Amino acid sequence: MTINDINVNLLNSINLCTTKNENEWEIKTGAKFENGKSIEIYLVNEGKKWYLTDKKTTLKYMNTIYDLKANDVKSCISAVIKIYGFYISGGELSYELENENEVQKRVFDFIMCISQLANMYAFFDKP
């Protein structure tokens, strides 16, 4: 292993891949949930607006671990997404991008937010 090998791997660690929808791209990061399933992040274009979304995958994963109807879980979810300025609508974690200069930061924030949501059990006596 050399520093050049490491640099190449780091530069190739995030990839933008097309999907079946011409207005949607998957952002592949290598980040995974504890069960080994990839954390899914999508870039979606709706006219002049661009969004990051998880297409409901985070809450679907969380539903296997948590009682999502419990008040303490709801409160924790709200607190985590508030930190990042994201929102959940219809079970979908989303964020409207203001410009291309914030894409990198917001993708990393998305990964961190999803990871914190998925690992909230560390703060509860029982998931």
Side-chain angles (χ1 to χ4, degrees):
M1 178 168 38
T2 68
I3 194 66
N4 288 335
D5 295 333
I6 293 169
N7 190 43
V8 167
N9 279 308
L10 286 174
L11 290 173
N12 293 322
S13 63
I14 295 180
N15 296 299
L16 195 59
C17 303
T18 57
T19 66
K20 292 178 183 178
N21 183 334
E22 67 181 25
N23 296 317
E24 174 185 281
W25 297 262
E26 184 173 4
I27 301 172
K28 296 197 178 209
T29 66
K32 298 184 182 304
F33 290 112
E34 246 184 59
N35 66 1
K37 189 173 188 297
S38 293
I39 290 177
E40 296 180 22
I41 302 172
Y42 296 88
L43 178 66
V44 177
N45 177 242
E46 293 179 2
K48 293 186 178 187
K49 295 184 179 188
W50 290 86
Y51 297 90
L52 291 176
T53 179
D54 71 341
K55 294 177 71 175
K56 303 182 183 183
T57 58
T58 303
L59 285 181
K60 285 180 183 175
Y61 172 79
M62 291 175 67
N63 195 46
T64 65
I65 300 171
Y66 307 105
D67 176 4
L68 296 180
K69 294 179 183 176
N71 287 334
D72 57 346
V73 173
K74 287 181 190 179
S75 176
C76 197
I77 291 169
S78 294
V80 170
I81 64 172
K82 184 178 179 181
I83 291 169
Y84 297 99
F86 300 148
Y87 59 91
I88 294 178
S89 178
E92 188 170 16
L93 181 68
S94 299
Y95 178 77
E96 183 180 343
L97 294 162
E98 294 176 14
N99 61 60
E100 66 277 0
N101 296 326
E102 71 172 339
V103 173
Q104 181 185 33
K105 177 189 182 325
R106 292 321 228 154
V107 166
F108 287 129
D109 285 349
F110 225 69
I111 294 167
M112 288 177 29
C113 181
I114 290 170
S115 296
Q116 287 179 338
L117 290 169
N119 296 313
M120 287 186 328
Y121 61 83
F123 302 105
F124 296 108
D125 291 333
K126 293 181 181 180

